[in-house]
């Protein structure tokens, strides 16, 4: 057993007992990265020197009896989350050389815990995409099958955790960008309730939908990381002031009598037979554990994807207006006047999908179309929110597949934006309604991981973790990706 | 619903983006296809539905108007392609 194959809580135990040092753990991961990264391409930047420096700090903390849950634990951060002094590119030519002058709140919180940052992970440019193929730098490969995508947009973070390049990772989820890649890579990924985790320092895509969350190797680790990153932040006025529980206190196997909702809308057209069967088996596990399975209906969820593409693109077109080539980011070499400087810089800096969404969003917000598209989508958002509220009167959580398919082939959907958008069909409604949800591996189909999505009420992450933990204990998912090799 | 090439040109101007002739053609087709899909929303009667812009109730956040240290100037300017005398430098605007 190599150090890099351990979970956060296993590493924590060894570190606290001083059976290994943070420097040994860090070196094990850096070696692992050197070994598998040429095959996976999960990382945009590797911060070897900084990692070794941080490992020394962690060892000092442990020596002084100041060890916390994440002291000495190696992490990879999605490259749209600001890291002071470390290049943060959003996998875009626009920010290829951008070095943030400050840390995102989540990064600050992790550093205070004593984590070791190993690097920054690849994503679809500005988090727009479902496969990481929209990255301006590289396409990340799925560790289970190198000819397939890892999902996206946080594909680098998901693949890195699946390939043991980090003990855990951070991602961001606007329409499924944590849960869908977690599902496709066979790891645990959580999108917390909107407002639970500070967005300060997350490069904005769609501000009313974006949320930062963890990728981990198991449910226990997810609770530990959530403990570290959740909580009110005065720098993000949409972050909510609530009493933060100890999320690990929900890691219990008992779910007897819990009401688990299953909605037919989450098994609609486009779902692969293998995914459907695997998820149905998972639901049977909950039944065996004594949970009550309740048929529910969320009819408006069918409209979540079109509403999402209007809302997210509208917000993106506004958020990305800041890239003007003057304060930071790419600037054109040749231009005629000020307006031409803006246009040329932006057109050179942004990739195809980003431009497409800026165009769609600008159109939806433009005079004459605002009511027909943007306002209409916001009204449908109300219907979807009410749908979930009604459903949660009958059940405590809702379960279903995270993605309608297993990991698809690289290149398969790049020429059809709509086909790519459909990858998020089961995840977007959760962002539209601001709810928390987790994806946990629940089996294999055609040798590739299938994710089970568990959706909860607002700020009911504890219950989600309880259900996920009970499942994980009853159904051990111990398959490992075989496409990368190495001692595990 | 089809979106025309001239509409694409107009939207591009609003969005401060530039496209080649072929890109305009492709963008018109792609946006038309996406908008066709989005028009699915018109199946729903939303006449009496209130729009939701933010899902959790948020309110204005106030604080005392106290002077606090802000980011040092050199950090603010560190990513700017052109600076002069501690300021961002922009192309000439007035002839």
């Amino acid at each position: 057993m190599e150090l890099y194959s351990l979970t956060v809580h296993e590493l924590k135990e060894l570190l606290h007992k001083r059976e290994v040092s943070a420097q040994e753990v860090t070196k094990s991961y850096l070696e692992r990265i050197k070994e598998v990264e040429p095959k996976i391409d999960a990382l945009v930047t590797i911060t070897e020197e900084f990692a070794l420096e941080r490992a020394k700090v962690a060892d000092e903390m442990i020596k002084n009896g100041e060890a916390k849950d994440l002291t000495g634990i190696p992490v990879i951060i999605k490259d749209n989350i600001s890291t002071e002094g470390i290049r943060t590119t959003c996998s875009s030519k626009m920010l290829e050389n951008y070095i943030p002058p400050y840390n995102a709140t989540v990064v600050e919180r992790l550093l205070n815990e004593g984590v070791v940052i190993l690097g920054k992970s690849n994503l679809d440019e500005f988090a727009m995409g479902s496969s990481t193929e929209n990255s301006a730098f590289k396409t990340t490969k799925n560790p289970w099958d190198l000819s397939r995508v890892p999902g996206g947009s946080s594909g680098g973070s998901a693949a890195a955790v699946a390939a043991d390049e980090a003990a855990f990772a951070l991602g961001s989820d606007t329409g499924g960008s944590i849960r869908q890649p977690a599902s496709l890579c066979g790891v645990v990924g959580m999108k917390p309730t909107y407002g639970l985790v500070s967005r300060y320092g997350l490069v904005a895509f769609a501000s009313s939908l974006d949320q930062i969350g963890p990728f981990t190797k198991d449910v226990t680790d997810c609770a530990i990381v959530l403990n570290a990153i959740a909580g009110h932040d005065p720098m993000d006025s949409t972050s909510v002031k609530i009493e933060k529980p100890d999320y690990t206190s929900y890691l219990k196997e008992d779910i007897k009598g819990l009401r688990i909702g299953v909605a037919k809308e989450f098994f609609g057209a486009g779902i692969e037979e293998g995914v459907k069967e695997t998820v149905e088996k998972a639901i049977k596990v909950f039944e065996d554990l004594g949970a009550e399975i309740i048929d529910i209906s969320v009819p408006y969820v069918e409209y979540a994807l079109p509403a999402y593409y209007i809302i997210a693109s509208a917000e993106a077109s506004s958020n990305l207006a800041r890239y003007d080539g003057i304060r930071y980011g790419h600037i054109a070499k040749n231009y005629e006047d000020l307006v031409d400087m803006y246009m040329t810089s932006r057109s050179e800096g942004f990739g195809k999908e980003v431009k497409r969404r800026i165009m769609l969003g600008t159109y939806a917000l433009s005079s004459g179309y605002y009511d027909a598209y943007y306002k209409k989508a916001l009204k449908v958002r109300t219907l979807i929110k009410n749908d979930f509220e009604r459903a949660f009167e009958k059940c405590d959580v809702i379960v279903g597949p995270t993605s309608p398919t297993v990991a698809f082939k690289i290149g398969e959907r790049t020429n059809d934006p709509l086909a790519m958008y459909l990858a998020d069909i089961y995840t977007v409604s959760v962002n539209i309604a601001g709810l928390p949800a987790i994806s946990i591996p629940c089996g294999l189909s055609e040798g590739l991981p299938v994710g089970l999505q568990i959706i909860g009420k607002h700020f009911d992450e504890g219950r989600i973790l309880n259900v996920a933990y009970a499942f994980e204990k009853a159904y051990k998912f111990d398959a490992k990706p075989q496409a990368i090799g190495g001692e595990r | 619903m089809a979106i025309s090439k001239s509409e694409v040109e107009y939207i591009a101007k609003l969005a401060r983006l530039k496209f080649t002739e072929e890109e305009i053609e492709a963008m018109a087709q792609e946006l038309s296809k996406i908008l066709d899909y989005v028009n699915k929303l018109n199946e729903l009667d939303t006449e009496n539905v209130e729009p939701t812009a933010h899902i959790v109730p948020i309110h204005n956040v106030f604080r005392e108007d106290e002077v606090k240290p802000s980011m040092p100037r050199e950090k603010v300017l560190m990513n700017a392609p052109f600076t002069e005398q501690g300021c961002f430098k922009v192309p000439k605007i007035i002839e």
Side-chain angles (χ1 to χ4, degrees), chain A residues 84 97-99 101-102 194 208 237-238 300 302-303 305-306 310 325-328 331 338 340-341 343-344 346-347 355-356 358-360 362-363 369 373 376 378-383 385 416 418 421 432-434, chain B residues 1 3 7-8 11-19 27 30-31 33-35 37-44 46-47 49-56 58 61 71 75 78-82 88-91 93:
Chain A
E84 185 177 353
N97 301 309
Y98 173 68
I99 296 174
Y102 66 99
Y194 183 83
S208 81
S237 53
T238 62
Y300 293 115
E302 204 192 316
Y303 298 90
L305 199 61
I310 292 299
I326 288 173
R327 291 154 303 157
Y328 44 76
I331 184 165
L338 181 74
D340 190 51
M341 192 276 286
M343 290 179 118
T344 312
R346 289 164 62 79
S347 299
K355 286 180 196 164
R356 195 181 286 131
I358 291 175
M359 290 290 287
L360 179 62
T362 306
Y363 181 76
Y369 295 103
Y373 288 105
K376 180 84 186 180
L378 293 185
K379 286 178 165 195
V380 173
R381 184 175 202 176
T382 306
L383 295 175
K385 176 183 156 228
D416 187 350
L418 265 183
Y421 295 176
I432 294 272
Chain B
M1 203 218 69
I3 178 165
E7 273 178 300
V8 170
I11 299 295
K13 217 167 115 191
L14 292 179
R16 297 284 190 255
L17 290 171
K18 242 186 194 177
F19 294 105
M27 189 63 75
E30 286 161 7
L31 288 182
K33 214 173 144 192
I34 295 168
L35 288 171
Y37 175 67
V38 166
N39 281 329
K40 186 180 162 63
L41 297 179
N42 294 328
E43 292 169 11
L44 297 173
T46 52
E47 185 67 37
V49 181
E50 283 296 315
T52 300
H54 250 269
I55 211 73
V56 282
I58 53 167
V61 179
M71 196 176 279
K75 278 197 164 186
M78 67 186 257
N79 283 286
F82 300 105
F88 293 108
K89 194 176 175 187
V90 299
I93 298 168

Side-chain angles (χ1 to χ4, degrees), chain A residues 401-421:
Chain A
T402 306
S403 155
T405 69
V406 292
F408 45 93
K409 290 267 185 192
I410 289 169
E412 197 181 298
R413 301 190 188 183
T414 37
N415 291 324
D416 187 350
L418 265 183
M420 190 67 90
Y421 295 176

Side-chain angles (χ1 to χ4, degrees), chain A residues 23-35:
Chain A
Q23 292 175 72
E24 284 167 327
V25 173
T26 302
K27 280 174 191 154
S28 167
Y29 274 99
L30 289 169
E31 279 302 308
R32 176 68 175 169
I33 288 172
K34 283 200 184 103
E35 183 194 346

Side-chain angles (χ1 to χ4, degrees), chain A residues 187-199:
Chain A
V187 297
V188 174
M190 178 184 258
K191 181 206 96 76
T193 308
Y194 183 83
L196 184 70
V197 178
S198 167
R199 292 182 294 110

